[in-house]
Amino acid sequence: MMLYSLQAARDYEAKAGAEIATGLRPGFHLSARAGWMNDPNGFSYYQGLYHLFYQYHPYDSHWGPMHWGHATSRDLLHWSYLPAALAPDQPYDGAGCFSGTAVALPDGRHLLAYTGVREERGPDGVLRQIQTQNLAFGDGLDYEKYPGNPILSEKDLPADCSVANFRDPKLWRLADGSYRLLAAAERRGAGGVLLLYRSVDLVHWALVSTPAENRNRLGLMWECPDLFRLDGTDVILLSAQDMLPKGFEYHNGNGSVVLLGRFDPETGVFDEQSDHALDYGIDFYAPQTVQTPDGRRVMIGWLQNWDTCNQHFLHSPWFGQMSLPRELSVRNGILYQRPIRELEALRGEKQCFDGLRLENEVRTLPGLRGRMLDLELELRPAGPLYQRFAIRFAQDAACHTGVSFRPYESVLKLDRKFSGSRRAIIHQRRAKVRHENGALRLRLILDRYSAEVFVNDGEKVLSMAVDTPISADGLSFLADGAVALSVTAYRLNP
Ligand code: FRU
């Protein structure tokens, strides 16, 4: 097996990253320093900075042997790249350093917990993956893999779980100084299961419980679990492969899921009460959360989906970006998401268009254009209920991408089929939204190559990546029927 060198990755990314013009990256969403990015990893606050690592293949804009890329930020919007933190350079992780967590330890060290992948040929001659959990300790810049790795391996799995799917440790420290680790695994023939382990020394672990299992629903293998308490509710986040739709939920094949319920820290039992999709757009997967020093629970996800990625232009110098950081809260059995409040500091020039009346027309608004915008929209019927309202953006003669709303169906739709993508892939996603007789509030955040729509103050969110050339920066509004509209638009200056 070929092992990769961390120093080689660091040398390569410094050069390749510097060749990418900042104007051809998102302005305030973290993108791969060079090459490919998938899941956020090790999202943590350590020594006065937020650290975000990510699944990373620096040498190519397609997935490959996974490294951990690394960036830091003070406000979760302005990011500085740091040298890659992990490379697949050990016998137990030579096929990839997969997703995991970072924890600030009381002794001042920064701990990374990640999945090491190696490949082994079975007696049948078929190559299979061996996935184990591993540690690395560092100072926020350089990390050393623990010589006793792996700390969790096949022997720690229930007998009916497969070592080929055992990954993405979420590790945290309790007030009593002990640790918990939640990993995703797969029961042979029965799909995803979350395994909770306990340790006092980070090295010896005992299985406590299986807080959640898919029991033939919510897809097959589960990935990237997170668990936290918020507003009196316990929340599990996970990302599921091979999902089938359930009504208007889970239309993406691979999708992120919220489980709400009650977690008993003693027994490790999670009493699940409800589930819903985390994002109703096209591109969102594998989120992680961090607790900010002022107590907010903030989530970042990969602003892509395995079902639609790999369709990008082959010459792309980078591929993959993170979602906007989102502040979470639980209300009425729903996990709400709002753009992180630090975004307001990026607001520049403001334009207000109040009391507009659109009737069976497409309209542009004077001076309103751009690809980095924060738009607040309020719409309601101007007379009898309208058929459809839409906003189009990233628009020129050839391209546009849109968000439309049909109040009779209560359906909000994203559509990027004219966004200038390399080929026609999945380009639409619909969500049922709550409205009062056609009255609806939307906040739309545009950042060069993405659009994120927050409905009713974050009750639902729909996200997508867009490939449209930056020169397409027009916006227009469309009404079938008569719509009363007000628009507040801020130019975002990262
Ligand atoms: C989720 C995932 C993880 C894994 C990583 C590999 O997107 O499949 O389960 O750790 O990506 O890059």
Side-chain angles (χ1 to χ4, degrees):
M1 176 175 39
M2 174 182 165
L3 296 179
Y4 285 75
S5 140
L6 182 62
Q7 192 54 51
R10 288 179 162 194
D11 292 345
Y12 181 84
E13 66 178 356
K15 191 166 170 301
E19 285 167 6
I20 304 173
T22 41
L24 295 177
R25 289 181 176 281
F28 49 95
H29 289 67
L30 181 67
S31 55
R33 183 172 185 184
W36 162 280
M37 161 194 278
N38 59 289
D39 313 355
N41 292 158
F43 192 17
S44 54
Y45 188 78
Y46 173 69
Q47 293 187 345
L49 287 174
Y50 293 103
H51 287 252
L52 187 61
F53 303 82
Y54 52 92
Q55 289 288 278
Y56 184 35
H57 185 220
Y59 303 111
D60 189 356
S61 67
H62 291 81
W63 194 88
M66 282 290 109
H67 296 58
W68 275 34
H70 190 187
T72 55
S73 176
R74 290 188 188 284
D75 62 0
L76 295 166
L77 297 168
H78 296 93
W79 293 97
S80 307
Y81 290 114
L82 261 57
L86 299 176
D89 57 6
Q90 299 295 320
Y92 54 84
D93 65 16
C97 299
F98 279 15
S99 288
T101 331
V103 179
L105 294 177
D107 65 7
R109 290 179 301 168
H110 202 202
L111 165 69
L112 310 184
Y114 71 98
T115 299
V117 183
R118 70 187 167 86
E119 287 178 337
E120 188 182 85
R121 209 165 284 286
D124 51 2
V126 175
L127 212 54
R128 64 169 192 156
Q129 284 194 352
I130 309 289
Q131 302 192 341
T132 58
Q133 314 321 318
N134 300 280
L135 303 179
F137 295 89
D139 60 0
L141 183 63
D142 297 310
Y143 295 83
E144 277 199 14
K145 292 178 183 171
Y146 172 58
N149 280 342
I151 48 123
L152 279 166
S153 58
E154 188 159 15
K155 65 176 175 14
D156 304 295
L157 278 171
D160 60 352
C161 283
S162 156
V163 74
N165 278 318
F166 177 32
R167 59 179 175 271
D168 307 340
K170 156 86 187 184
L171 193 154
W172 68 100
R173 186 174 185 274
L174 276 68
D176 68 3
S178 66
Y179 296 92
R180 298 291 181 277
L181 185 153
L182 186 65
E186 183 184 35
R187 286 202 199 279
R188 285 186 201 89
V193 56
L194 301 187
L195 304 175
L196 181 71
Y197 296 87
R198 176 178 191 281
S199 173
V200 289
D201 59 6
L202 289 168
V203 172
H204 302 92
W205 294 88
L207 183 64
V208 179
S209 66
T210 55
E213 301 207 27
N214 88 347
R215 294 194 194 85
N216 300 317
R217 59 183 184 137
L218 303 177
L220 296 175
M221 176 60 187
W222 286 355
E223 307 185 300
C224 303
D226 199 347
L227 167 63
F228 51 87
R229 186 166 185 76
L230 186 61
D231 300 328
T233 301
D234 292 304
V235 182
I236 288 181
L237 305 182
L238 58 92
S239 293
Q241 297 179 335
D242 304 304
M243 299 189 85
L244 293 173
K246 186 173 133 190
F248 265 78
E249 302 283 316
Y250 312 129
H251 285 206
N252 268 359
N254 291 285
S256 295
V257 178
V258 184
L259 303 180
L260 299 174
R262 184 148 290 276
F263 176 68
D264 181 337
E266 285 305 310
T267 61
V269 172
F270 181 76
D271 174 19
E272 184 188 316
Q273 282 146 14
S274 62
D275 66 273
H276 65 81
L278 198 41
D279 190 292
Y280 294 81
I282 305 169
D283 299 305
F284 188 87
Y285 198 69
Q288 291 203 342
T289 64
V290 72
Q291 181 124 42
T292 60
D294 61 4
R296 291 172 288 159
R297 178 63 61 173
V298 172
M299 177 181 75
I300 282 187
W302 181 39
L303 199 70
Q304 276 297 333
N305 186 302
W306 290 109
D307 285 271
T308 49
C309 66
N310 287 324
Q311 307 294 344
H312 49 293
F313 296 95
L314 298 177
H315 58 259
S316 307
W318 62 270
F319 179 79
Q321 55 183 313
M322 294 301 165
S323 74
L324 195 63
R326 302 168 183 184
E327 289 179 21
L328 303 181
S329 57
V330 178
R331 267 184 280 156
N332 311 321
I334 293 172
L335 187 72
Y336 275 71
Q337 307 169 44
R338 294 169 61 107
I340 190 166
R341 66 192 65 162
E342 282 81 346
L343 186 68
E344 282 152 42
L346 269 52
R347 285 175 166 179
E349 184 198 343
K350 177 180 182 184
Q351 288 180 283
C352 287
F353 303 92
D354 281 333
L356 299 173
R357 187 173 197 281
L358 274 68
E359 185 162 6
N360 298 324
E361 62 182 307
V362 178
R363 196 185 298 181
T364 56
L365 298 176
L368 183 57
R369 55 193 318 116
R371 288 286 285 271
M372 285 195 286
L373 294 172
D374 183 347
L375 296 155
E376 293 171 340
L377 309 181
E378 283 194 31
L379 47 136
R380 57 189 166 75
L385 190 57
Y386 54 93
Q387 293 291 333
R388 180 166 71 117
F389 165 81
I391 169 169
R392 290 177 175 169
F393 50 88
Q395 184 167 18
D396 63 9
C399 298
H400 67 260
T401 291
V403 178
S404 63
F405 176 56
R406 289 179 185 271
Y408 282 104
E409 298 162 28
S410 305
V411 165
L412 189 79
K413 185 174 92 175
L414 299 184
D415 190 341
R416 61 174 182 194
K417 66 175 165 300
F418 301 114
S419 65
S421 55
R422 184 171 68 85
R423 45 192 305 262
I425 51 170
I426 301 171
H427 279 323
Q428 296 187 354
R429 189 73 206 278
R430 290 173 173 76
K432 282 266 185 206
V433 297
R434 230 171 25 86
H435 62 101
E436 277 163 37
N437 301 319
L440 187 69
R441 257 172 315 127
L442 302 175
R443 184 163 171 203
L444 173 61
I445 310 292
L446 302 181
D447 182 10
R448 291 204 180 109
Y449 297 106
S450 66
E452 291 163 274
V453 189
F454 296 80
V455 187
N456 293 330
D457 292 320
E459 189 176 42
K460 281 197 172 151
V461 186
L462 295 87
S463 308
M464 68 179 151
V466 286
D467 274 347
T468 318
I470 286 299
S471 55
D473 65 351
L475 279 92
S476 61
F477 300 83
L478 175 154
D480 281 347
V483 175
L485 175 69
S486 72
V487 179
T488 308
Y490 300 89
R491 216 163 273 289
L492 292 172
N493 303 318

